Amino acid sequence: MNDLTKGKPLKLIFWFTIPLLIGNIFQQFYSLSDTLIVGQTLGVKALAAVGSTGSVQFLIIGFAQGLTAGLSILTAQYFGAKDYKGVRRSFAISIVVSLIVGMILTILSMFFVDHILVLMQTPPDIMNDARTFLQIMLGGMLAPIAFNLLSNIIRALGDSRTPLWFLIISSLINIGLELLFILGFHWGIAGAGWATILAQLIATVMCLVYIILKVPILHIGRRHFKLVWSEVKAHLNVGLPMAFQMSIIAIGTIVLQAALNSLGTNSVAATTAAQKIDQVATQPLMSFGVTMATFAAQNFGAHKYERIIKGVKQTMWLSGSFSVAAGLIEIIWGKQLVGLFVGHQDMAVLNLSQTYFNIIGSTYIFLSMLFIMRNTLQGLGRSAIPTLAGAAELFMRVFAALILVRLLAYPGACMSEPLAWIGSCAVLLPAYVKAVRELRQRSKDEQVTNGEAESTLENTVKE
């Protein structure tokens, strides 16, 4: 376990982020390998089918993943405060809540699969493949939910390295299973779905074994599952806003995906391939953000308020530098990277993907700011504002889907992401400035209180 309340903030943040970054990149291999293998072996239509379901997965599975991330914030605060009984109770509450939510989402989503695909205007030529892939991913969603919960809890205790190793192993297993199921068993697009679910299930088992053998602070029994409503409510107050935030953002993505589907298979394929590059390129930004949630939560629990402010400032500069570098790489070498997925002969798809990179890559700085501010506020237990920021993202994406796509076609769809990031930052920035002021006031109040206590102690000794 790693205590983030002691030592130089930037050094701790950087070394905590590195395993998290590598782990997130390997996590992208789940979807990246789907795209590479499906695109190269099953063709552009199969690739578009996988891509057309991404926003639906984000809506449903993302809700549960946002919930587990929020639940772990309380665990990190208990750990920072050295309340180890609270850590165990928090872990038990997180398990119960995640299991209930996961089961409900699985049942509902499986029932409405066809309705969702029709509502999204999924092109008829990819409808069957899209349905097959989505049914497998949603039917097995308890596997990624369980893995995300256990990974977030382990990271809440300051350990970002162990989940990395489990991700590496499961990602390699995922690639191997996809090749086996698609090329060996000829399962088609279903093979990609089953490989992903099985790999995440294996990662979940690895997390459980590690906790049993190496993390006694997370060993829980029946007594920890005797839940107290006030404690459950405290977790839901942080977890549910983060879950709804993910869903609100996803709704905007679904509306945009429907508009994108209306532009044809080439647009869907170009966006699917380009987004895989985009997801890898933005992992440093996302990883720094996730680190700040744990860093802020632990230090808030330890009442080290000035340390939080210092850590955020330093990380802003570091993450901003990465955002500029990532954007330049995409703008310069975008076509070559997309060619890995669809080949270099389909110029229509390649040209569309370059349009995507020109617009997205030049605005990463806003995404960098968004991740840092949003996750810091969440680490402080302030989940309402990030949810409002998610609503701003929804508004901007809907505006792009309904207005800009009609006016500008594909470039209008690409502009939705930068507009969403700017809208979110417009909400987050004032809230973050207010939070900094309150943290500084808390720090001053504690200094006064500590000074008075020391003065009283000195007078008592003199007497």
Side-chain angles (χ1 to χ4, degrees):
M1 301 303 103
N2 188 13
D3 189 346
L4 300 179
T5 65
K6 300 175 182 178
K8 295 181 179 180
L10 185 59
K11 182 179 179 180
L12 286 168
I13 289 168
F14 180 79
W15 288 113
F16 186 90
T17 301
I18 291 301
L20 191 62
L21 170 60
I22 298 172
N24 284 341
I25 290 174
F26 268 91
Q27 193 167 30
Q28 290 302 317
F29 281 2
Y30 287 130
S31 58
L32 194 61
S33 60
D34 288 340
T35 306
L36 277 169
I37 297 172
V38 170
Q40 293 290 350
T41 61
L42 301 178
V44 171
K45 288 186 178 180
L47 173 63
V50 172
S52 68
T53 66
S55 55
V56 179
Q57 294 180 59
F58 183 29
L59 170 65
I60 300 171
I61 300 177
F63 179 91
Q65 291 176 343
L67 178 69
T68 61
L71 295 172
S72 68
I73 293 295
L74 272 295
T75 311
Q77 290 184 0
Y78 283 126
F79 183 75
K82 305 296 188 292
D83 181 1
Y84 301 131
K85 290 183 179 179
V87 169
R88 293 187 179 93
R89 291 198 305 271
S90 179
F91 185 30
I93 291 170
S94 299
I95 291 173
V96 173
V97 172
S98 298
L99 182 60
I100 293 173
V101 171
M103 291 176 66
I104 293 173
L105 288 178
T106 299
I107 295 170
L108 291 177
S109 62
M110 291 296 289
F111 183 77
F112 289 107
V113 164
D114 286 337
H115 300 80
I116 293 171
L117 290 173
V118 171
L119 186 64
M120 290 179 62
Q121 302 180 55
T122 304
D125 57 342
I126 63 174
M127 176 66 80
N128 289 334
D129 279 346
R131 180 189 300 110
T132 298
F133 188 75
L134 191 58
Q135 284 176 334
I136 293 170
M137 297 301 294
L138 296 181
M141 78 167 72
L142 281 176
I145 291 173
F147 176 58
N148 275 274
L149 172 64
L150 297 178
S151 296
N152 284 325
I153 293 294
I154 292 172
R155 292 190 189 105
L157 306 185
D159 181 3
S160 61
R161 294 183 181 181
T162 300
L164 162 64
W165 292 111
F166 298 154
L167 275 171
I168 291 174
I169 295 170
S170 62
S171 296
L172 294 175
I173 292 172
N174 181 46
I175 294 171
L177 288 176
E178 278 202 80
L179 292 172
L180 175 65
F181 293 163
I182 293 176
L183 298 179
F185 296 169
H186 303 290
W187 287 0
I189 202 167
W194 282 116
T196 300
I197 294 299
L198 288 174
Q200 292 184 333
L201 183 60
I202 291 171
T204 300
V205 173
M206 288 189 289
C207 282
L208 284 172
V209 172
Y210 174 76
I211 289 172
I212 293 170
L213 296 179
K214 299 291 186 179
V215 194
I217 193 176
L218 293 179
H219 289 182
I220 54 179
R222 287 185 179 181
R223 67 184 185 279
H224 298 106
F225 287 94
K226 295 179 180 178
L227 306 182
V228 178
W229 171 242
S230 60
E231 294 179 343
V232 175
K233 183 179 178 181
H235 282 73
L236 293 177
N237 285 341
V238 178
L240 285 179
M242 289 182 67
F244 283 119
Q245 170 200 317
M246 295 291 286
S247 291
I248 289 171
I249 295 172
I251 290 171
T253 305
I254 287 178
V255 173
L256 182 64
Q257 183 69 55
L260 190 63
N261 289 346
S262 69
L263 296 177
T265 300
N266 281 344
S267 294
V268 176
T271 305
T272 300
Q275 282 180 340
K276 301 308 176 185
I277 305 298
D278 172 55
Q279 288 166 4
V280 174
T282 57
Q283 286 310 305
L285 316 183
M286 183 183 299
S287 299
F288 278 122
V290 174
T291 296
M292 292 313 299
T294 302
F295 179 83
Q298 284 196 15
N299 282 280
F300 187 77
H303 297 185
K304 296 188 176 181
Y305 307 119
E306 288 290 343
R307 182 179 174 82
I308 297 173
I309 299 171
K310 182 179 180 181
V312 171
K313 285 183 178 179
Q314 293 175 338
T315 309
M316 277 279 194
W317 283 102
L318 190 58
S319 182
S321 300
F322 273 105
S323 71
V324 173
L328 287 174
I329 290 172
E330 285 188 351
I331 292 171
I332 296 171
W333 291 294
K335 281 187 180 180
Q336 290 85 340
L337 293 170
V338 169
L340 297 173
F341 297 92
V342 299
H344 296 280
Q345 285 73 42
D346 197 333
M347 292 306 299
V349 173
L350 293 176
N351 289 334
L352 288 171
S353 67
Q354 187 61 53
T355 300
Y356 180 94
F357 288 135
N358 291 341
I359 295 172
I360 297 294
S362 61
T363 54
Y364 275 154
I365 189 67
F366 296 107
L367 182 62
S368 172
M369 296 171 58
L370 186 160
F371 279 134
I372 300 263
M373 291 189 293
R374 183 171 70 191
N375 282 277
T376 299
L377 290 170
Q378 289 169 341
L380 299 175
R382 306 183 183 201
S383 298
I385 293 299
T387 303
L388 292 176
E393 290 189 49
L394 168 61
F395 175 81
M396 290 297 190
R397 286 194 176 94
V398 171
F399 170 75
L402 299 182
I403 306 298
L404 295 185
V405 171
R406 292 182 180 180
L407 294 176
L408 304 174
Y410 188 70
C414 296
M415 291 173 64
S416 68
E417 290 300 312
L419 288 175
W421 302 339
I422 292 170
S424 183
C425 285
V427 175
L428 292 170
L429 184 57
Y432 173 71
V433 171
K434 181 180 178 182
V436 168
R437 290 175 182 169
E438 292 179 3
L439 288 174
R440 285 179 173 152
Q441 187 59 50
R442 280 175 177 253
S443 181
K444 290 178 182 178
D445 292 343
E446 290 211 349
Q447 289 176 1
V448 172
T449 301
N450 292 336
E452 291 176 350
E454 290 177 3
S455 177
T456 301
L457 180 61
E458 288 177 2
N459 293 333
T460 302
V461 172
K462 289 179 181 180
E463 293 176 0

